[in-house]
Amino acid sequence: MNKINSLFANSADQKLLSLYFCAGCPTLDGTADVILTMQRRGIAMIEVGIPFSDPLADGPVIQSAATQALRNGMTLSKLFAQLAAIKDQVEIPLVLMGYLNPILHYGIEKFCQSCVEAGVSGAIIPDLPFDDYLNIVKPVADRYDLRIIMLITPETSEERIRFIDDHTDGFIYMVSSASITGTQKSFDDAKQEYFRRIDAMHLRNPRMIGFGISNAQTLKAAQDNAAGAIIGSKFVTLLNEADGNADIALDRLFEALKQ
């Protein structure tokens, strides 16, 4: 069974926590250590960012991380090599998150094959048009048992959400707001209503809520209204401040999530 499906099948009553970091930042060779440390510290699933020069959906923190990673020399080929080297040690799901351009240059078939060889269970491609996903990417990904995760926002129609739910597997990424990534102190009434509205749809796929989670209030809101939460910008900031020491970054993150 794909590790993503296995995670949610065995975690019905748990409040899952997934973290994002950008491969190659703050150091080129730190990817493996960050992943293994997060696994050891109980993180349920890891999103590994593929650095790109024009990350349209990302705020300044992740944009800066991508720029630094590219300056460090990170490439998709290097990332796959780093992941393949620790494949046998990684038991939790790894999900690559990146934009379509680098993946197209690498090749869709080659990308899916490399994911399997490197122990990657899924991919999030924010700028992948859904029609292209259905007609081009999904048939290839299905052959490799790779989950392509789609995003929804407060502006996504119910019809569109149900269509996505019917044609994807793994989980649905609920973006907390129709904006770029970044931390928020709280989720307002409109966002809370969005969470409740989607919950009431009783979708087939489990949901994870991301964008803006950085403290106890936003974490609880996400975990109360979905299978779990995804934290990106906050952890990327802490990892940079800790010069790539994931243990220190996680200590500081867990402390921030209590406040």
Side-chain angles (χ1 to χ4, degrees):
M1 179 184 289
N2 182 285
K3 288 182 181 178
I4 295 174
N5 298 94
S6 179
L7 171 66
F8 290 105
N10 296 312
S11 306
D13 299 323
Q14 296 185 35
K15 305 296 187 181
L16 300 176
L17 179 60
S18 176
L19 298 184
Y20 166 96
F21 78 104
C22 183
C25 179
T27 64
L28 177 61
D29 298 321
T31 303
D33 180 69
V34 173
I35 290 171
L36 294 176
T37 301
M38 282 199 274
Q39 175 176 265
R40 174 170 51 81
R41 298 291 297 271
I43 302 305
M45 180 168 58
I46 300 172
E47 290 181 20
V48 184
I50 302 168
F52 180 52
S53 57
D54 192 21
L56 297 177
D58 294 311
V61 170
I62 294 179
Q63 285 188 22
S64 177
T67 299
Q68 183 61 53
L70 292 172
R71 287 175 179 167
N72 289 343
M74 177 54 73
T75 66
L76 195 47
S77 294
K78 287 180 181 178
L79 173 56
F80 279 129
Q82 291 177 354
L83 296 178
I86 59 169
K87 176 182 178 180
D88 294 340
Q89 302 175 63
V90 179
E91 299 176 353
I92 62 177
L94 298 181
V95 179
L96 293 189
M97 187 167 188
Y99 292 86
L100 186 58
N101 186 279
I103 295 171
L104 287 177
H105 278 286
Y106 192 83
I108 297 296
E109 179 95 26
K110 183 180 177 183
F111 176 81
C112 293
Q113 181 178 354
S114 295
C115 282
V116 172
E117 293 171 350
V120 173
S121 299
I124 302 169
I125 310 171
D127 58 341
L128 173 64
F130 200 77
D131 286 345
D132 289 347
Y133 157 72
L134 283 178
N135 297 316
I136 300 171
V137 177
K138 186 179 187 299
V140 181
D142 285 350
R143 288 204 307 272
Y144 289 93
D145 196 32
L146 186 71
R147 303 291 176 260
I148 305 298
I149 309 303
M150 305 302 291
L151 288 75
I152 63 173
T153 76
E155 279 68 44
T156 308
S157 69
E158 179 173 335
E159 180 183 14
R160 183 70 165 182
I161 292 170
R162 292 202 182 278
F163 189 74
I164 290 172
D165 189 44
D166 288 341
H167 293 88
T168 61
D169 191 17
F171 69 96
I172 290 175
Y173 192 132
M174 282 182 64
V175 177
S176 67
S177 59
S179 64
I180 59 175
T181 57
T183 61
Q184 299 178 38
K185 291 183 178 179
S186 64
F187 289 138
D188 59 22
D189 291 343
K191 292 186 180 68
Q192 299 274 4
E193 173 56 30
Y194 159 58
F195 297 159
R196 290 190 290 268
R197 175 171 60 86
I198 303 304
D199 192 43
M201 292 178 66
H202 302 292
L203 300 176
R204 178 179 58 86
N205 280 296
R207 291 158 286 112
M208 296 286 285
I209 296 176
F211 283 46
I213 298 167
S214 62
N215 57 22
Q217 195 275 353
T218 49
L219 176 66
K220 184 177 188 301
Q223 292 183 330
D224 284 351
N225 291 280
I230 299 169
I231 297 178
S233 296
K234 182 68 174 181
F235 181 68
V236 170
T237 296
L238 294 172
L239 189 62
N240 285 336
E241 291 174 351
D243 296 323
N245 187 313
D247 266 316
I248 293 175
L250 287 167
D251 285 342
R252 294 173 179 172
L253 176 65
F254 293 151
E255 185 62 33
L257 294 177
K258 296 177 184 177
Q259 301 172 8

